[in-house]
Amino acid sequence: MTTEFATLRRSIEQLRVSVAGVRHAFGDAPEVRRLVNDLERLEIDAAELASTHPESHPAAGVVPEHVVVPDTPLDDSLWRDADDEGIGGYHGDRS
């Protein structure tokens, strides 16, 4: 087991104790049930991830591509034949 998973398991255990305290204080409120459900999902995901090897994970060691999105106005010709939603659609000449 890696130190990352050991840290993750300790954190989940601390969270389990905290959620138990919240459940004791607030009872079976919908928000508490969601927290319990989220904790269960976290435990399931951590267990599934721990059973895989980092080398086999598609994102392991891959640096995400940096995409620059320009803030310049788009070419108006892109919208020439588009409907103007919210105003009732395009009713002009379509030639």
Side-chain angles (χ1 to χ4, degrees):
M1 180 185 329
T2 64
T3 57
E4 291 86 2
F5 277 108
T7 302
L8 179 61
R9 289 183 193 274
R10 279 193 307 274
S11 299
I12 290 173
E13 185 55 37
Q14 289 174 340
L15 185 58
R16 184 188 341 262
V17 170
S18 297
V19 169
V22 169
R23 186 179 223 175
H24 180 73
F26 291 91
D28 196 33
E31 298 85 357
V32 174
R33 287 195 306 268
R34 284 195 301 270
L35 286 173
V36 170
N37 186 41
D38 291 344
L39 177 60
E40 290 172 358
R41 182 73 247 174
L42 182 62
E43 291 171 328
I44 290 168
D45 290 343
E48 287 177 2
L49 191 58
S51 68
T52 63
H53 297 289
E55 303 83 36
S56 66
H57 196 276
V62 176
V63 178
E65 179 184 356
H66 183 80
V67 177
V68 177
V69 178
D71 59 355
T72 56
L74 294 173
D75 181 7
D76 287 337
S77 68
L78 293 172
W79 315 110
R80 186 171 303 139
D81 294 330
D83 283 346
D84 195 359
E85 295 180 18
I87 301 181
Y90 183 78
H91 296 290
D93 183 22
R94 291 188 174 254
S95 56

